[in-house]
Every structure is written in structure tokens, then in C-alpha cells.
Amino acid sequence: MTENVRVMLVDDHALCRNGLTELLVERGGMDVVGATGNPDQVASMLHELQPDLAVLDLRLASTDGLSLLRHLRSQGCNTPVVILTMSDSEADLSAALRAGARGYLLKDMQPEEMMDAIGRAARGEMVVASAMTLKLAQMLQSGPKVSARGDLVASLTDREREVLNHVAHGQSNKVIAKALDISHNTVKLHVHHIMDKLNLRSRVEAAVFAFELRNETDSGKDANTKSGA
């Protein structure tokens, strides 16, 4: 049970909205505070309802979910958003994460996995459907060269690198503040500086950046170890 989690649903199929509402409320113990299939209503509903998380369909009748998400972000809306879709495309996954989505879930997931993922996303974690993890791994292997990333990381302070490491594990600002024994506002400031220095647009991009850097650095260490053996 995931009590006190307030969720808003955006899907233009009433059957999907009703089914997910029943799942999250009756079996997940969450509170679905609003649901709509009209993209024009989303911004005002998010402002009024202030949910912990919005679950957004990737394909809407009059627009696509990513265009709507980008519009919301451009208007200063910071409500965490998880994309829910039938698409298992790597391109859609990549576009969603880079648009600032906190996660990418598939409509054919098992109910228990769906409830767990939405609950974790509402608590600040980054979530991806298990069926998409291989594609996410492939994405992490195809970013910019480690030398270019290394130059950017060199511009970070020691504290900013610590914060980036926590962001890479999908932790919220509140969790990071507690772990590092600093204020929530200080964490927000560090995250802002990290985004600016690394030319990133979202926490998800920061997480992907950190994982790519770590993976390639570890690969380089392994190569050096073998060559020196």
C-alpha cells in the first residue's frame, strides 16, 4: 500500500483512466485527485490540485504527451511526470527522459509492478518499466565520449559531484539533503549549478550523464588493469 500519494492521470481513453484509477485507489491505496483526457485542462488542473505525480499518456488525440510535457516545463510547471504508453521504442524512451519525465512505464505491465513504480516515482525515484531496462542500458552506452564528459565534470565542485552521484540514484532533493546534512535549498542550488555547468535540462538527463560517465570510467579502469596484468 502506498498511502498519501496524490496522483493525477492524463489519458484520452476513459477506459484507461477508469481502470488505472481503480487499480491505484483500490489496490494501491493512492489518491487519484484528478483525471482528464483534454490536454488544454492539464496545466490548470496541475496548478489547482498540486499532485505528487502526474501519469501522462504518450499519445493523446490532439497532441503527443512529450509536446505537452515540454510545454508544461516551459511554463514553469515542475510537477513530476511519468510517461505511460504502449510504445516500447528506444527513441520514445530517450525522448521522454530528455524531455524531463521521471519515468517511462508500459501499459502492459503487471499491476503490482505498475503500482510499485508509480509509488516510487511519487517518492522521488526515477522509474523505467523492467521490459525497457535493456534499451535504457543501450542508451547509456551511446552518449558523448568520456573525455568530453570528463572535461565538464572537472568544472564541478566536490560537493556538486556528491550531489550528482545522489541524483544518479534517483534520489529527491529532500533525501539528498538528509544524506549530506545540508538544507533542502542548498541542494536545489547545487542541482541548479550542476544543470548549468553540464548543459543539462532535467534531473533525468543528469542521472543519465552520471551513469554514462561511471560506466565508461569503469570500462577504462578494467582495460588498464588488463593491459597492466
Side-chain angles (χ1 to χ4, degrees):
M1 300 288 284
T2 309
E3 299 178 356
N4 301 320
V5 170
R6 304 174 73 256
V7 181
M8 178 175 151
L9 307 179
V10 183
D11 194 307
D12 56 4
H13 291 91
L15 184 63
C16 291
R17 294 197 305 272
N18 295 340
L20 189 54
T21 296
E22 182 177 356
L23 175 67
L24 297 180
V25 174
E26 300 299 328
R27 297 180 57 179
M30 303 182 203
D31 186 8
V32 176
V33 297
T36 183
N38 184 349
D40 295 334
Q41 297 177 341
V42 174
S44 60
M45 289 180 67
L46 288 174
H47 178 74
E48 177 183 353
L49 300 172
Q50 295 292 306
D52 299 312
L53 184 76
V55 179
L56 174 62
D57 189 9
L58 183 63
R59 309 281 185 237
L60 300 170
S62 58
T63 185
D64 67 272
L66 297 188
S67 294
L68 177 57
L69 175 56
R70 294 187 187 101
H71 173 72
L72 292 172
R73 293 292 183 254
S74 71
Q75 297 300 308
C77 175
N78 295 317
T79 301
V81 171
V82 165
I83 296 296
L84 182 62
T85 179
M86 289 298 297
S87 172
D88 62 357
S89 161
E90 180 180 328
D92 284 337
L93 170 62
S94 175
L97 297 182
R98 296 195 180 283
R102 180 172 286 181
Y104 193 92
L105 306 179
L106 299 178
K107 290 186 176 182
D108 61 358
M109 292 168 63
Q110 292 297 316
E112 292 74 15
E113 184 185 3
M114 177 78 72
M115 290 184 294
D116 177 67
I118 290 176
R120 288 189 291 113
R123 294 191 295 272
E125 296 183 38
M126 184 174 64
V127 295
V128 175
S130 57
M132 299 297 292
T133 54
L134 177 59
K135 291 176 180 176
L136 179 59
Q138 292 171 340
M139 285 168 48
L140 297 181
Q141 296 171 5
S142 60
K145 296 298 182 182
V146 67
S147 58
R149 277 196 291 268
D151 289 342
L152 292 173
V153 170
S155 69
L156 301 180
T157 65
D158 290 342
R159 179 62 89 184
E160 287 166 353
R161 294 181 194 180
E162 286 184 295
V163 172
L164 177 60
N165 182 58
H166 285 278
V167 170
H169 286 84
Q171 296 176 348
S172 66
N173 287 352
K174 182 177 180 181
V175 172
I176 297 172
K178 184 176 181 180
L180 299 180
D181 195 26
I182 57 179
S183 73
H184 181 267
N185 286 336
T186 299
V187 175
K188 288 177 63 177
L189 184 61
H190 284 314
V191 172
H192 174 76
H193 289 162
I194 290 167
M195 301 291 192
D196 185 52
K197 291 180 179 180
L198 302 184
N199 299 316
L200 302 173
R201 295 171 294 176
S202 72
R203 293 175 71 91
V204 176
E205 282 196 7
V208 171
F209 179 100
F211 277 122
E212 288 173 344
L213 179 66
R214 184 180 305 148
N215 289 344
E216 293 187 3
T217 300
D218 289 344
S219 296
K221 289 179 180 178
D222 289 343
N224 290 336
T225 300
K226 290 179 181 179
S227 65

PDB file of all heavy atoms in Angstrom, residues 146 213-227:
ATOM      1  N   VAL A 146      33.729   9.901 -23.128  1.00  0.00           N
ATOM      2  CA  VAL A 146      34.039  10.154 -21.732  1.00  0.00           C
ATOM      3  C   VAL A 146      34.959  11.359 -21.560  1.00  0.00           C
ATOM      4  O   VAL A 146      34.874  12.069 -20.568  1.00  0.00           O
ATOM      5  CB  VAL A 146      34.658   8.886 -21.095  1.00  0.00           C
ATOM      6  CG1 VAL A 146      36.012   8.574 -21.670  1.00  0.00           C
ATOM      7  CG2 VAL A 146      34.759   9.061 -19.578  1.00  0.00           C
ATOM      8  N   LEU A 213      29.021   8.362 -17.476  1.00  0.00           N
ATOM      9  CA  LEU A 213      30.390   8.660 -17.040  1.00  0.00           C
ATOM     10  C   LEU A 213      30.944   7.527 -16.195  1.00  0.00           C
ATOM     11  O   LEU A 213      32.081   7.083 -16.400  1.00  0.00           O
ATOM     12  CB  LEU A 213      30.402   9.965 -16.243  1.00  0.00           C
ATOM     13  CG  LEU A 213      31.772  10.400 -15.707  1.00  0.00           C
ATOM     14  CD1 LEU A 213      32.709  10.761 -16.854  1.00  0.00           C
ATOM     15  CD2 LEU A 213      31.626  11.576 -14.751  1.00  0.00           C
ATOM     16  N   ARG A 214      30.133   7.026 -15.263  1.00  0.00           N
ATOM     17  CA  ARG A 214      30.583   5.954 -14.383  1.00  0.00           C
ATOM     18  C   ARG A 214      30.878   4.687 -15.174  1.00  0.00           C
ATOM     19  O   ARG A 214      31.894   4.026 -14.957  1.00  0.00           O
ATOM     20  CB  ARG A 214      29.509   5.677 -13.335  1.00  0.00           C
ATOM     21  CG  ARG A 214      29.918   4.637 -12.290  1.00  0.00           C
ATOM     22  CD  ARG A 214      28.797   4.428 -11.304  1.00  0.00           C
ATOM     23  NE  ARG A 214      28.399   5.688 -10.702  1.00  0.00           N
ATOM     24  CZ  ARG A 214      27.159   5.949 -10.319  1.00  0.00           C
ATOM     25  NH1 ARG A 214      26.207   5.073 -10.495  1.00  0.00           N
ATOM     26  NH2 ARG A 214      26.876   7.108  -9.758  1.00  0.00           N
ATOM     27  N   ASN A 215      29.977   4.335 -16.100  1.00  0.00           N
ATOM     28  CA  ASN A 215      30.159   3.116 -16.882  1.00  0.00           C
ATOM     29  C   ASN A 215      31.428   3.174 -17.730  1.00  0.00           C
ATOM     30  O   ASN A 215      32.194   2.209 -17.806  1.00  0.00           O
ATOM     31  CB  ASN A 215      28.947   2.877 -17.786  1.00  0.00           C
ATOM     32  CG  ASN A 215      27.713   2.467 -17.012  1.00  0.00           C
ATOM     33  OD1 ASN A 215      27.817   2.083 -15.854  1.00  0.00           O
ATOM     34  ND2 ASN A 215      26.555   2.551 -17.638  1.00  0.00           N
ATOM     35  N   GLU A 216      31.657   4.308 -18.382  1.00  0.00           N
ATOM     36  CA  GLU A 216      32.817   4.421 -19.257  1.00  0.00           C
ATOM     37  C   GLU A 216      34.103   4.527 -18.449  1.00  0.00           C
ATOM     38  O   GLU A 216      35.146   4.016 -18.857  1.00  0.00           O
ATOM     39  CB  GLU A 216      32.652   5.614 -20.190  1.00  0.00           C
ATOM     40  CG  GLU A 216      31.518   5.403 -21.189  1.00  0.00           C
ATOM     41  CD  GLU A 216      31.455   6.507 -22.220  1.00  0.00           C
ATOM     42  OE1 GLU A 216      32.318   7.409 -22.206  1.00  0.00           O
ATOM     43  OE2 GLU A 216      30.537   6.464 -23.050  1.00  0.00           O
ATOM     44  N   THR A 217      34.034   5.161 -17.282  1.00  0.00           N
ATOM     45  CA  THR A 217      35.209   5.241 -16.418  1.00  0.00           C
ATOM     46  C   THR A 217      35.578   3.858 -15.906  1.00  0.00           C
ATOM     47  O   THR A 217      36.755   3.474 -15.890  1.00  0.00           O
ATOM     48  CB  THR A 217      34.940   6.178 -15.221  1.00  0.00           C
ATOM     49  OG1 THR A 217      34.640   7.485 -15.718  1.00  0.00           O
ATOM     50  CG2 THR A 217      36.153   6.257 -14.316  1.00  0.00           C
ATOM     51  N   ASP A 218      34.551   3.079 -15.496  1.00  0.00           N
ATOM     52  CA  ASP A 218      34.806   1.717 -15.039  1.00  0.00           C
ATOM     53  C   ASP A 218      35.387   0.860 -16.152  1.00  0.00           C
ATOM     54  O   ASP A 218      36.281   0.044 -15.930  1.00  0.00           O
ATOM     55  CB  ASP A 218      33.510   1.077 -14.525  1.00  0.00           C
ATOM     56  CG  ASP A 218      33.052   1.690 -13.213  1.00  0.00           C
ATOM     57  OD1 ASP A 218      33.872   2.363 -12.569  1.00  0.00           O
ATOM     58  OD2 ASP A 218      31.877   1.495 -12.842  1.00  0.00           O
ATOM     59  N   SER A 219      34.887   1.056 -17.386  1.00  0.00           N
ATOM     60  CA  SER A 219      35.411   0.300 -18.526  1.00  0.00           C
ATOM     61  C   SER A 219      36.873   0.633 -18.770  1.00  0.00           C
ATOM     62  O   SER A 219      37.697  -0.234 -19.072  1.00  0.00           O
ATOM     63  CB  SER A 219      34.585   0.610 -19.783  1.00  0.00           C
ATOM     64  OG  SER A 219      33.255   0.169 -19.627  1.00  0.00           O
ATOM     65  N   GLY A 220      37.198   1.932 -18.608  1.00  0.00           N
ATOM     66  CA  GLY A 220      38.583   2.341 -18.786  1.00  0.00           C
ATOM     67  C   GLY A 220      39.498   1.748 -17.739  1.00  0.00           C
ATOM     68  O   GLY A 220      40.622   1.323 -18.029  1.00  0.00           O
ATOM     69  N   LYS A 221      38.999   1.667 -16.494  1.00  0.00           N
ATOM     70  CA  LYS A 221      39.795   1.062 -15.424  1.00  0.00           C
ATOM     71  C   LYS A 221      40.035  -0.417 -15.703  1.00  0.00           C
ATOM     72  O   LYS A 221      41.142  -0.932 -15.492  1.00  0.00           O
ATOM     73  CB  LYS A 221      39.081   1.236 -14.083  1.00  0.00           C
ATOM     74  CG  LYS A 221      39.080   2.660 -13.567  1.00  0.00           C
ATOM     75  CD  LYS A 221      38.331   2.737 -12.243  1.00  0.00           C
ATOM     76  CE  LYS A 221      38.325   4.180 -11.692  1.00  0.00           C
ATOM     77  NZ  LYS A 221      37.559   4.271 -10.435  1.00  0.00           N
ATOM     78  N   ASP A 222      39.000  -1.113 -16.177  1.00  0.00           N
ATOM     79  CA  ASP A 222      39.133  -2.540 -16.480  1.00  0.00           C
ATOM     80  C   ASP A 222      40.159  -2.763 -17.572  1.00  0.00           C
ATOM     81  O   ASP A 222      40.982  -3.676 -17.510  1.00  0.00           O
ATOM     82  CB  ASP A 222      37.771  -3.112 -16.914  1.00  0.00           C
ATOM     83  CG  ASP A 222      36.794  -3.196 -15.765  1.00  0.00           C
ATOM     84  OD1 ASP A 222      37.240  -3.131 -14.612  1.00  0.00           O
ATOM     85  OD2 ASP A 222      35.584  -3.305 -16.022  1.00  0.00           O
ATOM     86  N   ALA A 223      40.124  -1.878 -18.586  1.00  0.00           N
ATOM     87  CA  ALA A 223      41.065  -2.009 -19.703  1.00  0.00           C
ATOM     88  C   ALA A 223      42.505  -1.795 -19.227  1.00  0.00           C
ATOM     89  O   ALA A 223      43.441  -2.497 -19.631  1.00  0.00           O
ATOM     90  CB  ALA A 223      40.708  -1.021 -20.802  1.00  0.00           C
ATOM     91  N   ASN A 224      42.673  -0.796 -18.352  1.00  0.00           N
ATOM     92  CA  ASN A 224      44.014  -0.514 -17.829  1.00  0.00           C
ATOM     93  C   ASN A 224      44.535  -1.668 -16.971  1.00  0.00           C
ATOM     94  O   ASN A 224      45.719  -1.992 -16.998  1.00  0.00           O
ATOM     95  CB  ASN A 224      43.999   0.774 -17.012  1.00  0.00           C
ATOM     96  CG  ASN A 224      43.809   1.999 -17.871  1.00  0.00           C
ATOM     97  OD1 ASN A 224      44.122   1.973 -19.059  1.00  0.00           O
ATOM     98  ND2 ASN A 224      43.284   3.072 -17.275  1.00  0.00           N
ATOM     99  N   THR A 225      43.618  -2.261 -16.207  1.00  0.00           N
ATOM    100  CA  THR A 225      44.003  -3.385 -15.357  1.00  0.00           C
ATOM    101  C   THR A 225      44.469  -4.562 -16.192  1.00  0.00           C
ATOM    102  O   THR A 225      45.480  -5.205 -15.907  1.00  0.00           O
ATOM    103  CB  THR A 225      42.817  -3.811 -14.461  1.00  0.00           C
ATOM    104  OG1 THR A 225      42.434  -2.724 -13.641  1.00  0.00           O
ATOM    105  CG2 THR A 225      43.205  -5.013 -13.598  1.00  0.00           C
ATOM    106  N   LYS A 226      43.725  -4.833 -17.274  1.00  0.00           N
ATOM    107  CA  LYS A 226      44.104  -5.964 -18.154  1.00  0.00           C
ATOM    108  C   LYS A 226      45.417  -5.713 -18.852  1.00  0.00           C
ATOM    109  O   LYS A 226      46.245  -6.590 -18.994  1.00  0.00           O
ATOM    110  CB  LYS A 226      42.992  -6.184 -19.170  1.00  0.00           C
ATOM    111  CG  LYS A 226      41.710  -6.745 -18.559  1.00  0.00           C
ATOM    112  CD  LYS A 226      40.626  -6.924 -19.620  1.00  0.00           C
ATOM    113  CE  LYS A 226      39.341  -7.452 -18.990  1.00  0.00           C
ATOM    114  NZ  LYS A 226      38.269  -7.602 -20.015  1.00  0.00           N
ATOM    115  N   SER A 227      45.628  -4.467 -19.274  1.00  0.00           N
ATOM    116  CA  SER A 227      46.862  -4.157 -20.002  1.00  0.00           C
ATOM    117  C   SER A 227      48.070  -4.218 -19.089  1.00  0.00           C
ATOM    118  O   SER A 227      49.189  -4.482 -19.528  1.00  0.00           O
ATOM    119  CB  SER A 227      46.759  -2.764 -20.639  1.00  0.00           C
ATOM    120  OG  SER A 227      46.665  -1.755 -19.643  1.00  0.00           O
TER     121      SER A 227
END
